Amino acid sequence: MVKHKWRSCKAALSNPRTSKLRLAGLRVLELARDMEGGVFPESLKDAEGRYVELDCVNCDAKLQNAKLYCGDYCQQFSGTVRYARKAIDEGRIVKAEVQEGIGQRLLMLSGGGYPTDRRALTKQEREAILIRDHRKCQECGRKATEVDHIRGDSSDTRNLRALCKNCNQGAAVENARIITREEDPIEWERIFEMYEAMAQRIAAPLPLRFCDDHLNWRKAQYSIRAARKAMLREIEEEEEETDFVDVDDYLYNAMQKND
Ligand SMILES: [Zn+2]
Ligand SMILES: [Zn+2]
């Protein structure tokens, strides 16, 4: 059961020195605070059976494979919900860096989610870039531990550079666009709807979706994936059997005609 232990953050919200990231995090947390107690979840027992179906566990989109999410966006959305619920549960939600962490995830999500699949590098590729750049952050010269895509998703080595953790986060924030309602009302509305949907999932006393359950999801996701894989295998086997019967019938009919 998630209890809300944070006090109102109105002061930080109106403080001009509050970071861009923390502001984004606080906006969603303020929405969640206002929703407290207003949402009633389905029982988790019902949920568990349902999640064996091949649906995205975050948005119910139909999937053609045994994956859990339809894409990066949904995976990161539910990860952010769990992150916030865990922080609330453990009382860490009042910390500025936790609020910033939520804000950073939100900014990524408002751009459609960080494209982890497309940008995934192997350990060797990553290591090669760090060695090429002498493990020196290409922005500030400190020790580099991360590899940054300079522009877009291309993993061509010319588009990769070594950065320290700080600068890599900074680059992600700079690239994130923060828009006002006046600038772009349609885009603003889209992002606000996302914040509201997330606030609702954060605020629910019991998790609204199985994947929001920070205590049980990590373990449960493996059994759900295994169950989905087994189901897909069964479907494939059934299809093979049907093919076999079809060929038999075909031959039988052909022979009948020759008679
Ligand atoms: Zn989805
Ligand atoms: Zn740096």
Side-chain angles (χ1 to χ4, degrees):
M1 175 79 102
V2 167
K3 287 213 191 78
H4 298 264
K5 289 175 185 150
W6 73 83
R7 40 183 195 275
S8 173
C9 298
K10 294 242 155 60
L13 269 172
S14 54
N15 186 339
R17 281 180 308 171
T18 303
S19 75
K20 191 155 101 168
L21 283 181
R22 192 175 170 206
L23 275 180
L26 283 173
R27 285 209 180 98
V28 98
L29 291 175
E30 280 289 299
L31 283 172
R33 221 172 65 89
D34 293 342
M35 287 174 184
E36 190 177 355
V39 192
F40 300 97
E42 63 183 318
S43 85
L44 273 188
K45 220 172 158 50
D46 295 342
E48 199 166 359
R50 193 158 66 78
Y51 286 133
V52 178
E53 302 281 317
L54 299 182
D55 295 340
C56 171
V57 294
N58 186 66
C59 78
D60 295 333
K62 289 272 167 245
L63 303 177
Q64 303 298 325
N65 49 46
K67 284 187 179 160
L68 295 173
Y69 301 95
C70 65
D72 295 323
Y73 178 87
C74 278
Q75 180 159 18
Q76 286 157 27
F77 189 102
S78 86
T80 309
V81 173
R82 281 195 303 281
Y83 177 82
R85 291 180 68 88
K86 185 164 188 275
I88 292 166
D89 217 11
E90 295 170 356
R92 288 181 294 109
I93 198 70
V94 293
K95 292 191 174 170
E97 68 260 29
V98 173
Q99 296 166 351
E100 279 184 358
I102 294 170
Q104 184 172 12
R105 288 165 164 83
L106 282 168
L107 289 192
M108 295 273 195
L109 285 167
S110 33
Y114 185 80
T116 38
D117 278 358
R118 273 170 286 143
R119 291 191 183 183
L121 298 175
T122 64
K123 226 175 172 178
Q124 290 88 330
E125 285 170 326
R126 189 175 298 274
E127 191 57 22
I129 299 299
L130 289 173
I131 290 171
R132 182 197 70 189
D133 292 349
H134 311 288
R135 294 186 201 282
K136 237 183 169 181
C137 174
Q138 301 301 297
E139 280 288 333
C140 74
R142 261 176 250 158
K143 188 171 182 252
T145 51
E146 304 191 359
V147 174
D148 173 49
H149 285 73
I150 299 169
R151 206 164 284 122
D153 296 333
S154 163
S155 292
D156 188 291
T157 53
R158 282 165 302 180
N159 192 43
L160 299 173
R161 61 175 176 164
L163 287 183
C164 72
K165 199 173 173 200
N166 231 344
C167 290
N168 198 19
Q169 285 180 356
V173 174
E174 245 170 65
N175 290 340
R177 211 159 51 98
I178 299 212
I179 50 144
T180 63
R181 191 175 208 163
E182 291 71 35
E183 261 169 37
D184 189 342
I186 295 171
E187 180 68 358
W188 188 89
E189 186 70 28
R190 185 184 73 84
I191 290 173
F192 184 75
E193 270 171 26
M194 182 192 93
Y195 277 34
E196 265 195 322
M198 180 169 291
Q200 195 172 49
R201 304 242 311 252
I202 292 173
L206 288 170
L208 281 182
R209 281 178 174 272
F210 204 177
C211 61
D212 296 349
D213 185 349
H214 66 280
L215 294 173
N216 297 308
W217 178 249
R218 197 179 280 271
K219 242 174 123 182
Q221 62 177 331
Y222 295 111
S223 51
I224 293 176
R225 272 200 80 164
R228 288 183 173 193
K229 275 189 187 152
M231 198 171 84
L232 273 184
R233 255 199 314 273
E234 244 171 60
I235 293 172
E236 272 167 24
E237 275 164 20
E238 257 171 44
E239 273 170 6
E240 274 169 29
E241 270 171 37
T242 324
D243 281 351
F244 188 69
V245 172
D246 278 347
V247 173
D248 251 359
D249 279 350
Y250 175 76
L251 285 178
Y252 179 74
N253 288 336
M255 286 190 313
Q256 292 285 65
K257 269 178 206 149
N258 283 342
D259 273 347

